[in-house]
Amino acid sequence: MIPISAVTHSFSGLAWRWRGGNMDLGGWHGSLADDLVNQLLLSRGVAREDLERHRRPTLRDFMPDPSLFRDMDAAAERLASAVTAREAITVYGDYDVDGATSAALLIRLLRDLGVEARAYIPDRLLEGYGPSGEALVRLAREGSSLIVTVDCGAMAHEALAAAHAEGVDVIVVDHHKCPPELPITAALVNPNRLDESDEAALHGHLAAVGVAFLLAVATVRTLRARGYFDGRPAPDLMGLLDLVALGTVADVAQLKGLNRALVAQGLKVMAKRENTGLAALIDASRLNRAPTCSDLGFALGPRINAAGRIGDSSLGVRLLTTNDAEEARDIATRLSMLNDERRAIEQAVQEAAEMQVDGQHNRAVNVLAGEGWHPGVIGIVAGRIKEKTGKPTLVIALDADEAGNGKGSGRSIAGVDLGAAIIAARENGLLVAGGGHAMACGLTIDPATLPRLADWLDERLARDVASARATQSLLLDLSLNPGGLTPDLVTTLEAGGPYGVGWPGPRIAVGPVRLVKCDLVGTDHVRMVASGADGRSFKAIAFRAAASELGQTLLHGTRGRQLWLAGRARIDDWGSRPTAELHVEDAAFAD
C-alpha cells in the first residue's frame, strides 16, 4: 500500500502533506478525543501552554480594550453625544453581508439606547461601492447631523470632503486597506490604518462588523461614564454577537484570535433565535437545527448578499433590524428567491468567463472581461475560477456604468496580495478606482486600459504567484480506515472550531478503499459509495467536480483499484439515524 506521505501527484496534481505530525488513527475511539483536538489546535499555531484558551474561545480571553485603536475614543464620544442629544443619525453601509450586519448592529444598538437611526445602503449598480458625496450631502440636507459609514469610507476622500463642507460629521468604521493620507472625518476607526500601533494592527483581520462591535462597546462604556444608564437598562451587547458572527464568516475574515471568539459566541446567540430576522432567514434556508459556521457562509450569507447583488440592497438591513415576524418572513422568502435567481445569472457568467481561461494560461493572473455580465455576481465567479485554476482571478463586467467603465472583482490565492496590487495599479493611473485586501479586491476601469492592466499585473505578481503555486499542496490532519468515519469523530473535529479562513477545517484521508458505486448527481457532482478492507463502507461526494481531473478519474479511471479519499467529514442527517460522510476534495491511488 502507498502511504499518504508518498502521494506526490494526486488526481488533482497535488502532493499530500501532514499539517502537523503524522496522525494515522486507523480506527476511531472516543478516548482519543482530547488528544485529537489538542493536535488540531497545535497544528494551527497554538502554543501548548495556550491550548485551554483556544479550546473554548471567549471574549473575556480575547477582547482588547477598544481604546487601543486610533480614533475609537473620539468616535465613541461623538456617537454618545448624538445619543444624549437625540440627533438624527444615519448609518451608511456597504451592500454586502459585512455591511448589512455592521449597519444592523449599530441600528439595533442605537434603538436600545433610545434613538431610531436611519439606514442607507447604496445601490450596487447605480451608486457603486462606498459613500458618494452626493448621497452624504443629501442625507445631511434631509436632517442627519451624524453619519456613520460601515464597511466603507476609508478611501472616500472626495465624498467625505463634500460631507465636511456641508457641515455634517462622519464617523468611518472600516477594515479595508487605508492610504497614507486619510480623508476628513470626525473619526476613522480601522485596524488597518497605516499609523496604527503594532498591538492594534494584530487585529487587522477583523471584519467591519467586528470593528462596529468594538465601537458599540466603547460607546456604551462612554455613556455609562456619563451616567446615561442611571435608572435605565444598558443594552445587551452580547445579544448582538449573532450579527457579528454572520458578517465575519460571510466576509471570509480570518477566524483566528478575537474573530474565533466572536464567531464561537455568536453561534451560541444565534441558536437562541432572538433576532426575528435571522430566525426567519434560518427557516427560509430550511435549516432544522442551530446554524453552524459553514451555514453562515453557504446558506445564510448568500441570501443576504443576493439582495445587494441583484435586488434591493436595503433588504438585508431591513431583515436584520425588524422585530415584526411577518415582515421578516416576507423578506426572508424574497431573499431566497433572489438567491435562486442569482445562481442562474452566476452560472451564465461563469460559463462565459471560463471560455476565456485557456487563452490566459501564460498569465500569472486571470483577467477575464465581458459585456452583459452582471456586476453582482462577478466576485463569486472570480472565486470559482480562482479555485479551478489556482491563480488570482479578476472578472470584469464591461460597460457597467453610465460612463462606459468596467466594474471588476478579484479573488487571490494564499501568498499573493491582490488588494495591494490593485491599489498600486490605481496609483499608477491604470484604474479609475480600486482597493481591497490581500485575498479580494474591487475595481473600476476604462476598458481601453484592460490590456495594460493585464500586462502590469503579470509583471508585478508573476514571481509571487509562481512561488505560491510551487508550494501548493493538500494538507491533511489525520487518516483513518472507513470504520473510523463516524458521527462521533465529526463531533470531536468540530470541537476544534469554529473553522474558516486562517483556521482551516480538518481535512482527513480515508482508505484504502474501493469505489463500490460512482455516478453523477445533479449536473456536476460526483457521488460515491466506498468500501474498505475492514468491511465498512461510507457515502462520499465531490461537489462541482464532474469536469475536473479529479471527477473524471473517479468516474472512469479507478478500475477497482484501491484509493485514498481526502476531504471533510460531515454529518448526513437525512435518514432516520445520522451517519458520517466524506465531502471529497482530492483522491490518490493507494496501490
Side-chain angles (χ1 to χ4, degrees):
M1 182 184 75
I2 298 174
I4 287 174
S5 58
V7 174
T8 58
H9 195 83
S10 68
F11 291 1
S12 297
L14 299 174
W16 288 8
R17 307 187 193 285
W18 294 108
R19 194 187 308 276
N22 183 334
M23 291 186 65
D24 184 357
L25 298 188
W28 162 248
H29 303 287
S31 60
L32 300 172
D34 286 344
D35 289 341
L36 176 53
V37 174
N38 284 343
Q39 182 59 43
L40 292 174
L41 298 179
L42 290 168
S43 64
R44 282 151 182 77
V46 177
R48 188 169 293 277
E49 62 272 16
D50 207 18
L51 285 173
E52 190 58 33
R53 186 170 73 117
H54 284 269
R55 282 183 71 112
R56 298 172 182 83
T58 65
L59 292 191
R60 182 181 295 108
D61 288 335
F62 287 93
M63 184 82 170
D65 182 343
S67 297
L68 171 69
F69 300 92
R70 290 189 182 275
D71 278 8
M72 180 66 81
D73 290 341
E77 291 284 349
R78 181 63 185 91
L79 194 55
S81 294
V83 168
T84 55
R86 295 296 188 264
E87 294 183 46
I89 304 172
T90 295
V91 182
Y92 191 119
D94 188 23
Y95 38 66
D96 68 359
V97 183
D98 193 17
T101 52
S102 300
L105 185 149
L106 291 182
I107 288 169
R108 294 185 76 93
L109 170 73
L110 292 167
R111 181 185 297 164
D112 288 345
L113 293 172
V115 176
E116 283 294 332
R118 173 183 179 181
Y120 186 91
I121 309 295
D123 184 284
R124 178 190 290 261
L125 300 183
L126 299 179
E127 298 177 81
Y129 170 76
S132 70
E134 179 183 353
L136 295 178
V137 169
R138 184 172 67 251
L139 291 171
R141 292 177 179 176
E142 290 172 354
S144 293
S145 56
L146 176 63
I147 300 172
V148 185
T149 72
V150 287
D151 197 29
C152 59
M155 299 183 67
H157 292 76
E158 293 182 7
L160 293 173
H164 179 72
E166 189 65 25
V168 63
D169 285 341
V170 180
I171 295 171
V172 171
V173 178
D174 206 348
H175 70 132
H176 295 97
K177 287 183 179 293
C178 284
E181 183 179 348
L182 299 176
I184 301 173
T185 63
L188 194 157
V189 185
N190 184 336
N192 288 304
R193 285 176 56 153
L194 295 179
D195 60 348
E196 270 294 7
S197 67
D198 291 343
E199 187 178 358
L202 292 175
H203 298 284
H205 60 285
L206 285 171
V209 70
V211 184
F213 179 74
L214 291 173
L215 175 58
V217 173
T219 301
V220 169
R221 183 173 63 185
T222 300
L223 287 168
R224 182 174 286 112
R226 295 184 181 186
Y228 187 79
F229 300 116
D230 295 347
R232 74 172 77 193
D236 176 19
L237 292 173
M238 295 295 287
L240 299 172
L241 288 178
D242 49 5
L243 295 172
V244 181
L246 177 57
T248 298
V249 174
D251 209 52
V252 203
Q254 293 190 50
L255 293 193
K256 62 181 184 180
L258 177 57
N259 276 350
R260 280 193 73 233
L262 291 170
V263 173
Q265 300 307 315
L267 286 170
K268 295 177 183 178
V269 175
M270 195 177 296
K272 298 177 182 178
R273 296 172 60 91
E274 292 177 349
N275 184 304
T276 303
L278 269 178
L281 191 65
I282 291 167
D283 291 340
S285 302
R286 299 176 183 174
L287 294 175
N288 54 10
R289 49 170 172 71
T292 64
C293 201
S294 62
D295 293 326
L296 306 188
F298 294 103
L300 306 185
R303 284 170 164 80
I304 293 178
N305 257 336
R309 293 185 186 281
I310 62 172
D312 179 351
S313 57
S314 69
L315 286 176
V317 173
R318 286 171 52 196
L319 175 74
L320 298 174
T321 55
T322 185
N323 292 322
D324 184 317
E326 183 175 354
E327 180 186 24
R329 283 192 297 271
D330 289 345
I331 296 176
T333 298
R334 186 174 173 189
L335 288 174
S336 288
M337 294 173 63
L338 285 171
N339 194 46
D340 291 339
E341 183 180 346
R342 184 269 306 166
R343 286 174 178 158
I345 294 171
E346 172 196 324
Q347 182 175 351
V349 174
Q350 182 169 341
E351 290 174 355
E354 286 183 343
M355 292 179 66
Q356 300 180 18
V357 170
D358 288 344
Q360 307 218 358
H361 65 277
N362 290 324
R363 290 283 191 189
V365 179
N366 296 314
V367 180
L368 315 170
E371 295 181 354
W373 293 1
H374 197 297
V377 302
I378 53 178
I380 303 173
V381 173
R384 292 272 168 79
I385 294 178
K386 180 263 294 188
E387 290 296 330
K388 284 191 172 185
T389 63
K391 296 195 295 186
T393 299
L394 293 175
V395 176
I396 300 167
L398 299 177
D399 299 324
D401 65 16
E402 294 180 355
N405 292 317
K407 295 287 186 179
S409 187
R411 298 294 182 269
S412 194
I413 60 176
V416 180
D417 191 336
L418 187 58
I422 291 301
I423 291 173
R426 186 198 70 230
E427 293 172 347
N428 278 271
L430 295 170
L431 298 172
V432 176
H437 47 80
M439 299 301 288
C441 68
L443 59 88
T444 303
I445 186 170
D446 179 345
T449 314
L450 263 175
R452 288 174 55 207
L453 174 68
D455 290 341
W456 189 88
L457 288 172
D458 197 51
E459 181 177 351
R460 178 184 174 96
L461 296 177
R463 182 174 299 177
D464 290 345
V465 172
S467 177
R469 297 189 75 191
T471 58
Q472 283 181 342
S473 58
L474 192 79
L475 298 179
L476 298 167
D477 289 285
L478 67 147
S479 65
L480 39 78
N481 59 40
L485 183 60
T486 65
D488 183 43
L489 172 71
V490 179
T491 300
T492 298
L493 294 175
E494 287 300 316
Y499 299 106
V501 174
W503 197 268
R507 184 181 288 116
I508 70 173
V510 185
V513 299
R514 285 186 171 85
L515 298 185
V516 177
K517 181 180 180 181
C518 187
D519 57 15
L520 282 176
V521 60
T523 57
D524 57 355
H525 310 312
V526 179
R527 176 177 55 186
M528 293 155 275
V529 175
S531 178
D534 61 357
R536 303 294 294 274
S537 61
F538 61 92
K539 293 189 295 184
I541 187 166
F543 291 105
R544 294 187 296 274
S548 69
E549 189 69 24
L550 168 65
Q552 286 298 302
T553 307
L554 289 170
L555 286 166
H556 309 296
T558 62
R559 299 186 184 88
R561 291 181 61 180
Q562 293 190 101
L563 311 173
W564 288 105
L565 297 179
R568 315 285 185 176
R570 295 288 185 262
I571 295 291
D572 176 11
D573 52 10
W574 283 103
S576 58
R577 194 176 90 182
T579 59
E581 65 179 14
L582 189 68
H583 291 185
V584 175
E585 298 175 339
D586 204 356
F589 288 119
D591 58 14

